[in-house]
């Protein structure tokens, strides 16, 4: 919709299931992208060097049309979950903060590189239905959050869980930014290269509902 309104849009698939990628690319194209491990052809390939001694790779976006660009997802992104989990407590230490903060803000840095590449006006991110370390690191880079829901009890309960979690993550990220600013690393590097962690909920989208029958339906012959 944004692209049809002549807005330059970059979309990022941060769900390891890669459903957004499958919606835009043919399976043969996805296989080709996943095999290009030496370049930033997927979000995993962009951030995976941080698991060792390397740094981020520049993203290679797939052009869907003249106003829409995709950074494909990758099932291997789930392997990065433990790296993010370890970096979260380390980012509150008294020193040596550059690496954990670099890891926690890695998705944001990749997105900024993509914006510069295609002059994107809007970034849209798809994430999985969980509250794990990957989604925490994704959500702290966002300005706004839109919540997809179904018309059922499970979605309502999930919404009750999500609100307090977003507030907690926002506060905890702000503590890390404050800690960074007061550290030696932050004094020398500055905080201009960190996401603000705004993550303001602006609404939800109600998906097509499923009908549940409490009693069996009888079949009648005409």
């Amino acid at each position: 919709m944004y692209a049809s309104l002549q807005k330059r849009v970059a979309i990022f698939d941060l769900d390891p299931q890669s459903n957004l990628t499958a919606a835009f690319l043919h399976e043969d194209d996805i296989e080709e992208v996943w095999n290009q491990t030496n370049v930033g052809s997927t979000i995993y390939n962009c951030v995976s060097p941080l698991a060792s001694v390397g740094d981020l790779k520049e993203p290679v976006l797939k052009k869907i049309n003249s106003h829409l660009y995709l950074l494909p997802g990758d099932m291997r992104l789930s392997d990065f979950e433990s790296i993010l989990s370890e970096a979260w407590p380390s980012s509150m230490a008294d020193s040596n903060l550059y690496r954990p903060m670099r890891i926690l803000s890695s998705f944001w840095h990749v997105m900024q590189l993509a914006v510069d590449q295609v002059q994107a006006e809007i970034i849209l991110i798809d994430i999985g239905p969980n509250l794990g370390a990957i989604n925490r690191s994704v959500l702290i880079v966002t300005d706004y959050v839109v919540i997809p829901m179904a018309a059922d009890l499970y979605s309502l309960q999930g919404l009750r869980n999500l609100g307090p979690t977003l507030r907690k993550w926002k506060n905890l990220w702000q503590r890390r930014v404050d800690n960074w600013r007061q550290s030696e690393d932050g004094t020398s590097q500055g905080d201009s290269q960190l996401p603000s962690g705004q993550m303001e909920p602006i609404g939800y989208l109600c998906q097509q509902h499923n009908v549940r029958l409490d009693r069996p339906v009888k079949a009648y012959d005409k």
Side-chain angles (χ1 to χ4, degrees):
M1 181 186 71
Y2 283 123
S4 68
L5 295 173
Q6 308 300 306
K7 299 292 185 181
R8 189 69 63 89
V9 183
I11 52 178
F12 290 77
D13 192 349
L14 275 294
D15 182 356
Q17 296 183 73
S18 305
N19 291 326
L20 180 66
T21 301
F24 281 99
L25 301 181
H26 188 273
E27 283 190 2
D28 293 340
D29 297 324
I30 297 174
E31 183 180 17
E32 180 182 353
V33 165
W34 284 353
N35 287 334
Q36 295 173 351
T37 57
N38 60 326
V39 296
S41 58
T42 71
I43 183 61
Y44 175 77
N45 288 343
C46 289
V47 301
S48 60
L50 292 174
S52 55
V53 295
D55 201 0
L56 298 170
K57 292 180 181 177
E58 189 161 343
V60 178
L61 301 175
K62 298 291 288 186
K63 183 177 181 179
I64 307 302
N65 61 46
S66 60
H67 287 83
L68 186 62
Y69 298 82
L70 165 72
L71 182 60
D74 196 320
M75 296 180 70
R76 295 170 298 168
L77 184 61
S78 56
D79 296 340
F80 200 61
E81 187 110 36
S82 60
I83 305 297
L84 294 167
S85 297
E86 294 168 2
W88 188 253
S90 300
S91 62
M92 284 300 291
D94 295 329
S95 60
N96 300 320
L97 297 180
Y98 177 80
R99 183 165 181 78
M101 293 297 281
R102 182 74 169 170
I103 291 172
L104 292 176
S105 60
S106 58
F107 296 142
W108 184 81
H109 286 287
V110 173
M111 292 174 193
Q112 301 313 302
L113 292 171
V115 166
D116 291 341
Q117 278 186 22
V118 300
Q119 301 300 304
E121 301 170 81
I122 299 171
I123 294 176
L124 297 176
I125 311 167
D126 182 41
I127 60 176
N130 63 73
L131 296 175
I134 290 177
N135 284 355
R136 180 177 60 197
S137 291
V138 174
L139 285 167
I140 63 174
V141 315
T142 61
D143 295 317
Y144 305 104
V145 179
V146 178
I147 305 161
M149 295 182 61
D152 57 35
L153 178 63
Y154 299 99
S155 288
L156 290 175
Q157 185 60 45
L159 187 61
R160 293 190 185 100
N161 296 337
L162 183 60
T165 300
L166 288 179
R167 287 193 295 270
K168 180 179 72 173
W169 285 351
K170 184 175 182 177
N171 292 334
L172 291 174
W173 177 246
Q174 188 58 54
R175 292 183 193 177
R176 281 156 175 79
V177 172
D178 293 341
N179 187 53
W180 167 261
R181 290 170 177 166
Q182 298 168 14
S183 69
E184 183 178 345
D185 288 329
T187 302
S188 60
Q189 299 285 337
D191 63 352
S192 60
Q193 296 300 310
L194 292 177
S196 63
Q198 182 176 333
M199 60 178 92
E200 178 184 347
I202 58 173
Y204 61 88
L205 301 173
C206 192
Q207 301 175 339
Q208 183 178 2
H209 70 280
N210 295 319
V211 177
R212 173 182 170 180
L213 300 175
D214 293 327
R215 291 173 295 181
V217 178
K218 294 181 180 181
Y220 296 93
D221 291 330
K222 293 183 177 179

